[in-house]
Amino acid sequence: MELKLPPALVFLLFGLAMYILATFLPFGFFDFFGRLFLFKTLLVFAFLVGIVSLFQFYKAKTTADPTKPNKTSNLVVNGIFKFSRNPMYLAMLLALLALGVVLGNAFNALIAAAYVGYMNRFQIIPEERVLLNKFGRTYKEYCTLTRRWF
């Protein structure tokens, strides 16, 4: 598996990069009416998506540990997983977007996009290979019906 870092650490590193960029880049600042409201809304959605997805893994009695996809015992395809194959990573992306909004630097959108690219390459694609080997046609059909992010 190409996984180099645990997803939670990747999330923290990208968040740190956003903070550093907003602190030291002398341009790119933005402000608008409702920025704080948007920040809070994104954060609430991130929290809800993350909690619901963890609850569904628990309910299905399968692992939520993204570093060990081979320990998956059940394929979760209902609930929030009907809309996103990776709601936990989506929750992290929403939290990064919230951080970008509250920091107010437009270039943080590029860091959020880099997070998506990194997660696709080093986490999601290797996970999908393992799940395809484990669940075969069922997983392939699920991938056809459900988008990777949202």
Side-chain angles (χ1 to χ4, degrees), residues 117-136:
Y118 180 93
M119 291 303 288
N120 279 337
R121 169 65 179 88
F122 294 104
Q123 183 66 40
I124 295 171
I125 290 172
E127 274 182 16
E128 288 178 343
R129 263 189 247 122
V130 171
L131 294 173
L132 184 59
N133 286 337
K134 190 162 196 149
F135 298 105

Side-chain angles (χ1 to χ4, degrees), residues 15 30 37 43-45 48 50 53 56 58 61 89 91 109 133-134 137 139-140 143 149:
F30 66 86
F37 176 76
L43 215 50
V44 166
F45 274 119
L48 290 175
S53 60
Q56 285 191 258
Y58 174 77
K61 296 183 173 108
Y89 304 144
N133 286 337
K134 190 162 196 149
R137 184 179 190 96
Y139 184 71
K140 192 170 186 170
C143 289
W149 285 89

Side-chain angles (χ1 to χ4, degrees), residues 34-126:
R35 185 166 65 115
L36 194 56
F37 176 76
L38 179 59
F39 160 71
K40 290 176 183 178
T41 302
L42 286 169
L43 215 50
V44 166
F45 274 119
F47 179 77
L48 290 175
V49 168
I51 290 298
V52 168
S53 60
L54 286 173
F55 175 74
Q56 285 191 258
F57 277 131
Y58 174 77
K59 186 177 170 187
K61 296 183 173 108
T62 190
T63 184
D65 184 353
T67 63
K68 298 178 177 128
N70 55 337
K71 292 195 176 204
T72 302
S73 58
N74 295 309
L75 189 60
V76 182
V77 297
N78 54 7
I80 199 164
F81 288 89
K82 277 186 175 180
F83 306 101
S84 172
R85 296 195 313 256
N86 300 287
M88 287 193 299
Y89 304 144
L90 176 60
M92 290 181 202
L93 174 61
L94 290 170
L96 285 175
L97 292 173
L99 178 62
V101 167
V102 80
L103 290 173
N105 190 301
F107 292 98
N108 277 329
L110 298 174
I111 294 178
Y115 167 80
V116 171
Y118 180 93
M119 291 303 288
N120 279 337
R121 169 65 179 88
F122 294 104
Q123 183 66 40
I124 295 171
I125 290 172

